[in-house]
Amino acid sequence: MLACHEYRCFRVAKTHQQYVLEDVRNLQLRRKKEGGKMAGSHVAHAAYKGPSVVKEILIEIALGIAAGGLWKKHHWNNQRRTKEFYDMLGKGDISVVVDEE
C-alpha cells in the first residue's frame, strides 16, 4: 500500500485487519467465479467414519472359526490318545497294576 505525503510516496505496512479484509474479498471473488461453491469442496479428506459393522462381523466370524478349529484339533488329539490307551490296555501291552518285584 502506498501513501503519499508532500510529494513523497512511501510504502506503508498493512495492518492485520487490512490483510483479513483482503483475504475475505479474494474468497468472495473465488466463490463468485465457481458458482457459489467453496474452493475446498472438491478435495477429498480422509476422515474417521466409525467402525464398519459388516467388517467387524466378518473378522469375528473368521477368528471364531480359527479358534474353534484349534479347539477341535485339541479335542481330537485327546480322543486319539484315550482310544490308543484303551486299545493297548485291551491287547495286554500295558497294565494299570504295578508289578511287584
Side-chain angles (χ1 to χ4, degrees), residues 76-98:
W76 289 334
N77 190 31
N78 283 346
Q79 274 186 325
R80 181 185 52 82
R81 292 162 118 195
T82 304
K83 186 177 181 212
E84 286 176 358
F85 172 77
Y86 282 109
D87 286 344
M88 290 172 69
L89 192 61
K91 289 180 191 174
D93 294 341
I94 61 171
S95 172
V96 290
V97 179
V98 177

Side-chain angles (χ1 to χ4, degrees), residues 1-3 10-28:
M1 186 162 111
L2 290 176
F10 51 92
R11 192 172 273 284
V12 177
K14 293 181 186 177
T15 64
H16 177 69
Q17 185 178 10
Q18 288 171 330
Y19 280 113
V20 171
L21 288 174
E22 187 176 303
D23 288 343
V24 170
R25 285 188 202 117
N26 288 338
L27 182 61
Q28 288 172 345

